[in-house]
Amino acid sequence: MSNLDKKDIAGTIAGNMQSSEIYADNVRMMGSRGHGFAAEKANHLYDVFTGNDAKIIGDDNLKNGADRLVNGTQIQTKFCNGGGKCISECFEGDKFRYWNSDGSPMQIEVPKDFYLDAKQSFTQRVERNPEQFGISGTKEEIKKAAEKLADETIKESPFTYAQAKNIAKFGTVESITFDAVNGIKVAGTAMGISAVISFATAIWSGEDFDVALESACYSGLKVGGIAWVTSIATAQIGRTGIEQSLRPATDWVVKQLGNKTTQALANTLRASVGKSSIYGVAASNHLSKFLRGNVVTGVITVGVLSSADLFRMFQGRVSGAQVFKNVTNTAASVAGGTGGWMGGATAGAAIGSAVPIIGTAAGAFIGGILGSFAGGMAANKASSAIMDNLIEDDSKEMQDILGSVFTRLAQDYLLSTAEAEKVLAKLQEKLSVDILRDMYGASSRGSFAENLIEPLIIEEVKKRRVIRLADLPTLENVADELEVILEKEMNHDDESESVETQNLKNDNTDTTSTAPVNLNFVWRIK
C-alpha cells in the first residue's frame, strides 16, 4: 500500500511544484550577497501580508532597475553592513544610479537599524552634488531640500541587517519563520485542490453532502499540512551544501534537453504556478534549480508521508519489510505524479495557448492537476503489483491468523452456519488497520486474535434457545423412532444401499458442525 491516498495525489504534487519554484527562486541566498536577496524577499512578503499591492520585478536583471514595485512605487533594496555603505552602493562616483521614468529618484530600502545613518549619508551626497537632483539655491536651502529628498527617498525596512543575514542561513529562527510564512500559499493551494477532489469523489460515491464536506475538510487539512511542512524543509535544504552537490546532475540533464525544450519546459512549469516567462540562460538556470528543488521536495514528501510507518516500525507494530513496501509505493506515487504534472502541464499549456478563453497559465495548471493524478495512479498501481509479488503485507499475515483462530473457536463453540456468519459480520465491523498493527506488535498474536474474536462468539452463543429437561425426548419417543428405523432397514436389499438409506445417513449428520462456514472471505478493513 502507499501512504499517499489516490485522491490526495494531485494536491500533494501541486504543493511540491510550488515548493520547487520557491526553492529555485531562493537558492540565491547561498551566495555572498544572499542576505540582500533575503531582505528583498522578506520585505516583499511583509508588504503582501500587510495588504499592499506588491510585486518583485528585479528578476529581469535590468541594469539600474527596481527590485520591487509596491502600490505603483519602484523600490531598490540595499542591505549592507552600514547606512553609508547602503547609500554608496546607489552611486557610481557621484552619479546616482536609480531613477524613475519621471526623473525622480527611486525609493531606496535600507535596514531598520541603519535607516538614520542612511538618510544622513544620502543627504550629504545630495548636498555635494545637488544639480543632478534638480536642487539649487543657497547652502541652507540646498541642505533643507536634501533633507526633504532624503525623507522621500530613503525607505525604512521592517527588518534589521542581522535579521536579513539570518534569513539567508540554515536553521535560524528567522529563516524558519520566513519559510513558514512563504509556505502558507503552498499549503493553501494543496489544501484547496485536495478538498475539491475529495468532495467530488465522495459525492460520486453516493455520500451525503455533510459526509462529503467532512471528508473534504479532513483531506484538505492533511494534505495542506504536509505541503506546508515539506515547503519549509525544502527551503531549508536549499541553504545547505546539498544544493551545490545536486547542481552538476541537473545541469547535465538540462544540457541534454537542448535550449528549445528547456525554455518550453521552464516556462510551462512557471506558468502552472503563476510565474512569468523567462528566456535564454535564465530559463536554463531556472529549470536546473527547479529540478534540484523537485528532487529535494520529492524526497522530503516521501519522508513526511512515511514518518508514521517508521515510528510504528520502531514500536514493533509493523515489519521492516512492510515499511519498505509502503515507502517504495509512496515514492512511486510521488515520482509518477511529478512526471504526470510536467507532461500534463505541457499538454495543457499547448491547449490553453490555442484557446484564448482558457489561456496558457490556466491550461498548464489544469493539465498539471490531471496529469499528476493519472501519473501518480499509474505509477502506484505498477509499483504495488511488483511489490505484492515480492513482499506480503503484514495485514495479510494477521488476517490468516484471525481466520485460523476463528475456525478453531467456531468448532469449539459448535457454531452453526448462521451463527458463524453473524460473528464474521461483527468482526469485520470491528477490524481496522490500527487493530491489525496492534496485533502485529502483540507478544502473542494468536492470543490477541482469540481475545478479539471469542467475546463476539460468546455474545452470539448467548442468543441460543435454552433446552430444558422437559424439551428432551422420552424413552418411549426413542423406542418408537428406533422401531421405525429398524423396519426400514429390514425392507431394503442387503447388497445395495437404497436412496432412502442414504437420505437417512444425511439426516443423521451433526447439524451443529461448522463445515458450511466459508472462511475464505474478503476482509473489509476500515
Side-chain angles (χ1 to χ4, degrees):
M1 62 178 279
S2 168
N3 293 310
L4 183 59
D5 291 341
K6 296 176 182 178
K7 64 179 181 297
D8 297 335
I9 291 175
T12 300
I13 300 305
N16 283 1
M17 291 296 112
Q18 284 198 335
S19 293
S20 297
E21 275 293 338
I22 291 173
Y23 180 101
D25 283 342
N26 290 351
V27 291
R28 283 180 285 178
M29 291 185 187
M30 283 284 292
S32 60
R33 301 174 66 88
H35 64 278
F37 177 74
E40 178 185 319
K41 288 288 188 178
N43 290 326
H44 171 70
L45 274 182
Y46 180 85
D47 282 334
V48 169
F49 279 91
T50 52
N52 293 291
D53 180 14
K55 298 177 183 177
I56 291 179
I57 59 175
D59 290 341
D60 57 7
N61 294 317
L62 179 66
K63 184 177 181 181
N64 296 331
D67 291 326
R68 306 197 299 122
L69 186 67
V70 181
N71 299 325
T73 300
Q74 295 190 94
I75 298 173
Q76 172 65 219
T77 301
K78 293 296 181 184
F79 264 60
C80 304
N81 59 352
K85 179 65 172 175
C86 293
I87 300 304
S88 67
E89 288 286 314
C90 299
F91 286 82
E92 288 180 347
D94 288 332
K95 298 295 183 182
F96 189 69
R97 297 170 53 193
Y98 303 105
W99 298 94
N100 293 314
S101 58
D102 63 359
S104 62
M106 284 185 197
Q107 283 196 354
I108 307 300
E109 191 171 42
V110 298
K112 183 181 183 68
D113 48 339
F114 297 153
Y115 172 65
L116 295 178
D117 288 344
K119 276 211 313 181
Q120 184 179 5
S121 177
F122 184 80
T123 301
Q124 292 171 352
R125 282 182 171 269
V126 173
E127 287 181 49
R128 288 201 300 265
N129 192 6
E131 292 81 8
Q132 66 175 314
F133 297 98
I135 297 173
S136 61
T138 65
K139 185 175 181 181
E140 187 64 29
E141 288 173 338
I142 291 174
K143 181 178 181 181
K144 287 183 178 180
E147 290 174 347
K148 183 176 182 295
L149 185 62
D151 287 334
E152 296 171 350
T153 304
I154 308 305
K155 175 179 172 61
E156 180 182 7
S157 168
F159 304 102
T160 67
Y161 179 71
Q163 287 174 326
K165 291 190 70 175
N166 284 335
I167 288 172
K169 294 178 181 178
F170 169 81
T172 63
V173 173
E174 290 86 354
S175 70
I176 294 173
T177 302
F178 172 81
D179 292 337
V181 174
N182 227 0
I184 291 175
K185 182 179 179 181
V186 176
T189 300
M191 181 184 298
I193 292 173
S194 289
V196 169
I197 292 176
S198 178
F199 181 82
T201 302
I203 291 295
W204 293 334
S205 299
E207 299 288 358
D208 293 335
F209 177 86
D210 292 341
V211 174
L213 179 61
E214 181 181 18
S215 175
C217 290
Y218 274 119
S219 180
L221 288 172
K222 183 185 77 171
V223 174
I226 291 172
W228 186 62
V229 171
T230 300
S231 175
I232 296 172
T234 300
Q236 286 290 307
I237 292 297
R239 297 176 174 87
T240 68
I242 293 176
E243 149 65 20
Q244 295 299 322
S245 68
L246 293 173
R247 182 169 182 173
T250 58
D251 283 350
W252 181 86
V253 170
V254 170
K255 186 176 180 180
Q256 305 312 304
L257 293 174
N259 293 334
K260 187 174 181 180
T261 302
T262 294
Q263 184 170 291
L265 185 56
N267 288 326
T268 294
L269 293 172
R270 286 174 64 85
S272 69
V273 293
K275 293 290 187 87
S276 60
S277 297
I278 52 178
Y279 304 95
V281 176
S284 297
N285 290 338
H286 184 83
L287 182 60
S288 181
K289 289 184 286 188
F290 179 90
L291 293 177
R292 295 200 290 277
N294 218 248
V295 171
V296 174
T297 304
V299 171
I300 291 174
T301 300
V302 173
V304 171
L305 289 170
S306 304
S307 58
D309 271 348
L310 294 172
F311 181 69
R312 294 187 192 106
M313 183 180 70
F314 293 135
Q315 287 182 316
R317 298 179 66 205
V318 295
S319 66
Q322 180 70 62
V323 172
F324 174 76
K325 182 177 181 178
N326 291 352
V327 170
T328 300
N329 290 338
T330 301
S333 297
V334 172
T338 300
W341 180 284
M342 293 182 178
T346 301
I351 295 173
S353 62
V355 184
I357 195 172
I358 298 177
T360 302
F365 182 70
I366 295 171
I369 293 176
L370 297 176
S372 65
F373 186 80
M377 290 271 289
N380 179 258
K381 185 176 181 180
S383 174
S384 296
I386 295 172
M387 296 306 294
D388 285 345
N389 288 329
L390 299 176
I391 302 173
E392 183 180 80
D393 281 348
D394 291 347
S395 59
K396 177 63 169 60
E397 182 184 346
M398 298 306 101
Q399 290 168 19
D400 290 343
I401 295 173
L402 286 168
S404 176
V405 171
F406 179 86
T407 300
R408 176 173 57 79
L409 290 175
Q411 293 172 346
D412 289 347
Y413 282 89
L414 302 177
L415 293 184
S416 67
T417 301
E419 289 173 332
E421 289 176 349
K422 290 178 181 178
V423 172
L424 286 176
K426 291 179 181 178
L427 180 59
Q428 288 178 349
E429 290 178 1
K430 193 170 184 178
L431 281 178
S432 67
V433 173
D434 282 337
I435 286 179
L436 293 180
R437 287 171 180 155
D438 290 340
M439 180 178 170
Y440 183 90
S443 56
S444 173
R445 295 166 187 168
S447 297
F448 185 98
E450 188 170 318
N451 292 334
L452 184 65
I453 298 172
E454 192 166 24
L456 301 178
I457 293 179
I458 292 174
E459 181 183 351
E460 187 61 34
V461 168
K462 286 180 179 179
K463 299 176 183 178
R464 286 175 174 174
R465 176 187 171 187
V466 178
I467 300 178
R468 296 179 175 84
L469 186 60
D471 298 323
L472 295 175
T474 64
L475 291 176
E476 291 182 358
N477 296 141
V478 175
D480 291 343
E481 185 65 23
L482 287 174
E483 184 178 348
V484 172
I485 292 172
L486 289 173
E487 287 179 356
K488 288 182 178 180
E489 285 292 329
M490 292 173 64
N491 290 332
H492 289 287
D493 187 5
D494 293 336
E495 295 180 357
S496 63
E497 187 174 55
S498 67
V499 174
E500 288 80 1
T501 301
Q502 184 62 42
N503 290 338
L504 177 64
K505 289 182 179 180
N506 290 339
D507 291 341
N508 284 336
T509 301
D510 183 4
T511 58
T512 62
S513 73
T514 320
V517 179
N518 178 18
L519 293 176
N520 295 321
F521 56 86
V522 177
W523 297 89
R524 296 187 294 274
I525 307 302
K526 294 177 286 185

